């Protein structure tokens, strides 16, 4: 067999861990490697593999793989979609402009929308201006920021682009667009811009929920826990379904379920029309599944009102599921509504109603691609009835001249195959898109209408999809052995191993023996279906080798064939001692294993004969001596010479991960954490960005003893479990987003169970935004947990230094984690001295000001030196009272850079002033950004208020 890239073979391994490693090792410089990555991108079940494949294809800069990456933009996992956007940007794919139009409206994950914005700006340039300007109204500020940065970049070298942006800003009403344009103007001109008059107050306030509102959502959650559902307004509960604080969202949903209020449910459905607010639509869908209401009555109410797509989609499914003719008539009418989103929503239910097939198929002629997608998706699920398949097939053939996307043309090719339209299949066999050509060629191959020349041309094509589509019995053996793509080889072997494939015994044996030598364990396993233990000597030897295979799949397959052979022992005896005795040690080892498998009296006699045979190779003898251990002790009473050769049973010793603890020189940089009695390394390493356990162990060996943990930090969790033997050396910082004694105890005990430890070193109330979150009752609850030995120290984290100062004056909080950087130096005067005087341990975070301190500011000389992340950490660590700084490196390379802090935690005095000056510039720009972009109207609450606005009256 022609050898394959070993990494490309591992890319098909059953274990996801193996495939994750392999995707980075595949030779992407070779075309076969890129096709293997495409297969992984579109076919692997593991999201991490698919995301890595997208990244590698982008790095390869091969435009042939643009269609595959465009397909990946609809992957169910956001990490894959994000990587696909980035890869398409690297390829310079102009198609991203059309796709980004959809993404900024419908993509539910903010960081994927941000990737779309960056991709379209880098590829389309000035053509992307209208889309970027619309993105300034996104509910999430980080997406708006991506659009702002893109517009700044596009305008710096294009006077016409600047003028277009200014014109939009002048025409816009006070709000996020006008404010963002003002910020962009300030960057272009280098002059600060005030936010006054640029933002409006937004819609009026919703109905108040007396006694529940607070700046800190954990406090709101605790208050809501104590409040009966009937005393909270439905509007407020529905608003909270879009809150970033997960406990509050879940509790609001529970309260709505308790109310069983159809009107509240109608209100909640409005979130279905705003997919860009994280979690809201998902919470509503969960609510709809669990709430007990009269769904027919509610659906009737919805379908009688001015239509909202999200509610219509739900009502349409109810109408179909309950087979209500009156409701179905209304849904069918909405399938012809003037708004595409409403038509699409109605069709999303009608596609499941056989009686509505005519309406559904008519939608193939819809001018809107998203409406047609509902019909195409229904076809891809394949309607169960043969008559429905024929009806779809005829409709797709009629739709063929208007099919514009590769997905639509693939559906047309499948439909043409169903109804036997040879002329259409012949045209699609020459389609520019390889996936469409493969479908059409495959349909023709099944129907037997391919010419010999067409098959030869397809079999020599560079794309494995096309080669695979035309496989037949004549071509499959060659593909099975020599094709450069493993998926094609597998398809060929599947065809040949099929019970329906006519092969002579010689052909089956030849193919089986060749496949038994494959690098691919799957092919080795399938090879056993073509081999017979009672067949030729070569077949038996191949099966015996496969029964020792490194792959469990191959071993199991070979064992099944050997076990089914009724004359196996006779064949094995002939192989071991007959006239054509095999000399292959591997085959002899396997043959003896099978011959002695029953461990009965005849098997013992065979064992003794073999061990007394001085001609056996040393490896076989060692194996036979090991096999004596499977026989009962009493069997050896008649063979004392054999008993003396029995090896002693090996003692199994426990093994575990051993890590070198930091030595005394590395501990020298550790600092006391206030008066807690704990000592911490200058860096507290966060598991937020998924550093591998190996990287975390390297950091520990370099001197890091403090780690910041949350329950979803899976890699850090693995590392902490692996280092339980060094628990005394580690300082583990964990925490909670909840409020209330019961919730605090629950979260502490949950963390202890998850980490399999008996205590947490530092437990923080995360992201405190309200004084009530630091109430005396919660302080006492934490003190009690410390007295019980479950905590060594506790405290809180906050951005608000005044709140922190006041909290220390009320209660002796042992630890506080607060924001601090050269761009946010206020804690140096307002908080650090207070904490130092009271013996409070201080941890700081955002030392790089979210990376802004690492970027040049307007007005800086082009050759001015910028601080590094290490400089930023040292600046914070140089402040009196600061014990350690939180670091969340995104890669092993960043980790190694950050570890330089350990050898010299403090900044040189002369560098402090330069850092302060740079921080002041960043702060001034940051204040403008916060006022005009980050805190401008357009966030989640404003989005919800807009959804609540009165519907406009229908036109008369």
């Amino acid at each position: 067999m022609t050898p394959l890239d070993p990494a490309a073979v591992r890319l098909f391994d059953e274990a996801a861990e193996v495939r994750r490693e392999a995707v980075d090792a595949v030779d992407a410089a070779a075309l076969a490697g890129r096709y293997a990555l495409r297969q992984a991108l579109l076919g692997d079940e593991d999201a991490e593999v698919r995301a890595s494949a997208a990244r590698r294809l982008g790095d390869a800069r091969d435009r042939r793989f643009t269609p595959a990456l465009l397909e990946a933009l609809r992957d169910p996992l956001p990490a894959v979609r994000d990587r696909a956007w980035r890869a398409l940007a690297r390829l310079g794919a102009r198609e991203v402009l059309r796709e980004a139009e959809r993404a900024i409206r419908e993509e539910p994950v903010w960081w994927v929308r941000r990737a779309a914005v960056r991709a379209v700006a880098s590829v389309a340039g000035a053509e992307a201006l209208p889309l970027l300007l619309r993105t300034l109204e996104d509910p999430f500020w980080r997406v708006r920021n991506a659009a702002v940065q893109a517009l700044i970049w596009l305008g710096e070298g294009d006077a016409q682009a600047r003028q277009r942006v200014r014109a939009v800003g002048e025409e816009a009403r006070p709000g996020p667009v006008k404010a963002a344009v003002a910020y962009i103007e300030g960057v272009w001109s280098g002059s600060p811009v005030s936010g006054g008059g640029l933002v409006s107050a937004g819609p009026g306030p919703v109905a108040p929920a007396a006694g529940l509102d607070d700046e800190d959502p954990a406090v709101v959650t605790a208050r809501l826990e104590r409040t009966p559902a009937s005393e909270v307004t439905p509007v407020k509960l529905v608003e909270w379904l879009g809150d970033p604080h997960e406990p509050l969202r879940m509790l609001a949903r529970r309260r709505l379920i308790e109310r069983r209020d159809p009107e509240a449910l109608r209100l909640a459905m409005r979130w279905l029309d705003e997919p860009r607010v994280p979690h809201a639509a998902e919470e509503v869908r969960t609510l709809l599944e669990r709430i007990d209401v009269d769904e027919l009555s509610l659906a009737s109410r919805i379908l009688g009102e001015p239509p909202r797509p999200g509610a219509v989609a739900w009502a349409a499914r109810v109408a179909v599921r309950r087979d209500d003719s009156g409701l179905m008539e209304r849904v069918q009418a909405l399938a012809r509504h003037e708004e595409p989103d409403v038509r699409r929503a109605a069709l999303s239910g009608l596609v499941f109603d056989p009686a509505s097939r005519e309406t559904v198929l008519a939608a193939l002629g819809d001018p809107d691609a998203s409406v047609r997608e509902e019909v195409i998706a229904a076809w891809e699920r394949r309607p169960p009835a043969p008559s429905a398949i024929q009806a779809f097939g005829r409709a797709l053939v009629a739709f063929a001249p208007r099919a514009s996307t590769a997905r639509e043309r693939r559906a047309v090719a499948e439909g043409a195959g169903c109804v036997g339209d040879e002329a259409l299949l012949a045209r699609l066999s020459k389609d520019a898109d390889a996936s469409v050509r493969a479908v059409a060629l495959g349909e023709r191959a099944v129907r037997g209408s391919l010419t010999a020349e067409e098959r030869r041309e397809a079999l020599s094509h560079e794309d494995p999809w096309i080669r695979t589509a035309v496989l037949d019995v004549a071509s499959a053996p060659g593909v099975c052995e020599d094709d450069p793509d493993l998926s094609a080889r597998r398809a060929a072997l599947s065809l040949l191993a099929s019970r329906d494939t006519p092969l002579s015994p010689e052909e089956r044996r030849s193919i089986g023996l060749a496949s038994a030598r494959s690098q691919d364990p799957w092919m080795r396993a399938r090879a056993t279906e073509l081999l017979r233990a009672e067949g030729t000597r070569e077949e038996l030897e191949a099966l015996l080798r496969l029964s020792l295979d490194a792959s469990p799949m191959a071993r199991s397959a070979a064992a099944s064939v050997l076990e089914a052979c009724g004359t196996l022992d006779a064949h094995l005896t002939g192989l071991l001692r007959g006239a054509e005795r095999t000399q292959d040690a591997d085959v002899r080892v396997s043959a003896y294993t099978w011959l002695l498998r029953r461990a009965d009296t005849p098997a013992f006699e065979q064992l003794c004969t073999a061990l007394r045979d001085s001609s056996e190779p040393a490896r076989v003898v060692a194996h036979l001596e090991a096999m004596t251990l499977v026989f009962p002790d009493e069997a050896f009473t008649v063979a004392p010479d054999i008993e003396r050769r029995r090896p002693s049973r090996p003692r199994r010793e426990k093994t575990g991960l051993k890590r070198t603890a930091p030595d005394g020189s590395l501990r020298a940089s550790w600092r006391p954490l206030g008066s807690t009695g704990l000592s911490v390394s200058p860096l507290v390493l966060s598991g937020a960005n998924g550093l591998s356990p190996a990287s975390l162990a390297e950091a520990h060996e370099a001197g890091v003893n403090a780690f910041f943990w949350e329950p979803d930090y899976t890699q850090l969790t693995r590392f902490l479990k692996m280092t339980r033997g060094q628990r005394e050396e580690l300082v583990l910082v964990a925490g909670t987003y909840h409020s209330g004694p019961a919730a605090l105890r629950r979260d502490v005990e949950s963390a202890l169970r998850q980490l399999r430890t008996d205590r947490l070193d530092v437990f923080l109330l995360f992201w405190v935004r309200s004084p009530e979150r630091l109430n005396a009752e919660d302080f006492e609850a934490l003190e009690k947990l410390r007295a019980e030995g479950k905590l060594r120290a506790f405290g809180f984290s906050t951005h608000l230094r005044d709140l922190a100062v006041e909290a220390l004056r009320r209660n002796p909080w042992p630890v506080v984690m607060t924001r601090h950087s050269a761009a946010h130096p206020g804690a140096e005067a307002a908080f650090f001295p207070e904490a130092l005087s009271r013996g409070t341990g201080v941890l700081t975070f955002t030392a790089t000001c979210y990376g802004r301190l690492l970027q040049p500011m307007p007005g800086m000389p082009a050759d001015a030196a910028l601080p590094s992340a290490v400089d930023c950490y040292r600046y914070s660590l140089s402040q009196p009272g600061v014990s350690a700084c939180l670091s969340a490196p995104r890669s092993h390379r960043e980790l190694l850079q950050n570890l330089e802090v350990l050898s010299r935690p403090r900044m040189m005095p002369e560098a402090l002033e330069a850092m302060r000056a740079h921080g002041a510039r960043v702060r001034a720009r940051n204040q403008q950004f916060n006022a005009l972009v980050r805190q401008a109207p357009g966030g989640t609450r404003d989005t919800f208020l807009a959804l609540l606005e009165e519907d406009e009256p229908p036109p008369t």
Side-chain angles (χ1 to χ4, degrees), residues 237 241 252-260 264 287 291:
L237 290 172
L241 292 177
R253 189 209 322 142
R254 278 207 316 272
R255 290 289 185 259
L256 285 165
I257 292 172
E258 291 168 14
R259 291 179 68 101
R260 299 177 57 191
L287 175 64
I291 197 167

Side-chain angles (χ1 to χ4, degrees), residues 546-616:
L546 288 172
S547 74
L548 298 176
D549 198 274
S551 165
M553 173 176 29
R555 292 199 304 272
S556 176
S560 296
V561 177
L562 291 168
E563 287 169 352
C565 179
T567 57
L568 179 62
D569 286 3
H571 291 295
L572 293 173
T573 301
L575 194 64
L576 290 166
R577 304 193 187 100
E580 298 185 6
R581 166 182 172 138
T582 181
Q583 300 301 316
D584 188 303
D586 288 339
V587 173
R588 296 190 70 80
V589 164
S590 180
Y592 273 123
T593 301
W594 282 95
L595 190 63
L596 307 178
R597 65 192 179 281
R598 297 185 185 87
D600 53 11
T601 300
F604 186 73
E605 293 173 357
Q606 295 268 19
L607 173 68
C608 293
T609 299
L611 281 172
R612 289 164 182 159
D613 183 352
S614 60
S615 66
E616 288 292 355

Side-chain angles (χ1 to χ4, degrees), residues 305-561:
E305 298 174 339
R308 287 180 174 271
V312 167
W314 177 82
R317 287 179 174 84
V318 170
V320 171
R321 187 174 66 251
R322 301 292 290 270
D323 195 21
D324 186 288
S325 58
L327 295 181
M328 289 298 301
E329 288 180 9
R330 297 189 198 177
V331 176
Q332 287 174 348
L334 289 173
R336 297 182 291 276
H337 194 272
E338 62 182 357
E339 291 294 330
D341 288 345
V342 175
R343 299 198 299 273
R344 180 183 181 183
L347 281 169
S348 71
L350 293 177
V351 293
F352 297 101
D353 176 39
S356 299
R357 187 180 304 147
E358 184 177 343
T359 302
V360 170
L361 295 179
L364 282 172
D366 198 282
D368 189 89
S370 68
V371 178
R372 299 195 300 270
E373 281 183 359
E374 288 294 334
V375 188
I376 300 299
W379 166 249
E380 290 169 346
R381 292 191 292 269
R382 285 298 184 276
S387 60
I389 291 176
Q390 288 295 309
F392 264 91
R394 289 190 295 272
L396 286 164
V397 168
F399 165 64
R402 301 183 302 280
S404 59
T405 68
R407 184 184 184 190
E408 290 176 345
R409 298 198 302 278
R410 285 197 300 270
V412 167
E414 292 166 346
C418 288
V419 300
D421 191 324
E422 291 289 349
L424 179 54
L425 285 172
R427 289 201 303 274
L428 292 172
S429 295
K430 297 177 173 58
D431 195 274
D433 185 276
S435 67
V436 178
R437 290 178 67 183
V439 172
L441 288 166
E443 293 287 349
R444 294 182 64 199
V446 170
R447 300 177 62 81
S449 62
L450 277 178
T451 67
E453 178 59 30
E454 286 176 318
R455 191 184 297 276
R456 280 196 299 272
E457 182 182 340
L459 285 169
S460 63
H461 198 276
E462 68 174 27
D463 194 311
W465 285 350
I466 293 176
R467 298 197 300 273
T468 302
V470 300
L471 282 172
D472 61 1
V473 175
S475 59
V479 172
C480 194
E481 291 196 39
D482 298 320
D483 196 277
D485 186 84
L486 181 54
S487 63
R489 292 193 186 192
R490 285 187 171 193
L493 183 56
S494 292
L495 172 63
L496 295 168
S498 169
R499 295 178 183 273
D500 300 327
T501 302
L503 293 175
S504 68
E506 292 78 13
E507 289 172 326
R508 294 178 64 86
R509 179 170 63 253
S510 174
I511 295 164
L513 290 172
S515 299
R517 298 189 295 272
S518 171
Q519 295 166 265
D520 178 25
W522 183 92
M523 290 190 68
R524 298 199 298 273
R526 286 302 302 265
T528 63
E529 300 174 30
L530 298 169
L531 299 174
R532 297 166 58 246
E534 64 274 22
T536 65
R537 171 176 168 164
E538 290 80 5
E539 290 177 88
L540 178 58
E541 289 189 352
L543 287 167
L544 289 170
R545 288 192 188 93
L546 288 172
S547 74
L548 298 176
D549 198 274
S551 165
M553 173 176 29
R555 292 199 304 272
S556 176
S560 296
V561 177

Side-chain angles (χ1 to χ4, degrees), residues 818-903:
T818 190
R819 178 179 65 173
H820 175 253
S821 71
H824 294 105
E828 295 169 21
F831 173 66
F832 291 163
E834 186 79 22
L836 187 61
S837 68
R838 295 177 181 275
T840 300
V842 175
L843 306 175
T844 62
F845 62 96
T846 67
T848 66
C849 189
Y850 304 102
R852 296 190 187 100
L853 283 166
L854 312 181
Q855 301 168 1
M857 286 292 105
M860 286 182 63
D863 58 351
L866 287 171
S868 66
V870 170
D871 293 327
C872 296
Y873 293 128
R874 284 175 177 155
Y875 176 84
S876 191
L877 290 166
S878 297
Q879 310 307 318
V882 174
S883 298
C885 194
L886 193 68
S887 173
R890 294 167 295 182
S891 65
H892 188 74
R893 180 178 56 81
E894 284 190 8
L895 170 67
L896 295 180
Q897 291 172 350
N898 294 351
L899 291 178
E900 295 175 17
V901 172
L902 302 180
S903 60

Side-chain angles (χ1 to χ4, degrees), residues 709 734 746-757 760:
W709 176 87
R746 181 179 64 240
D747 283 358
V748 167
E749 293 177 346
S750 173
L752 293 175
R753 286 193 301 272
Q754 189 168 344
L755 293 170
R756 301 178 189 174
T757 186
L760 302 174

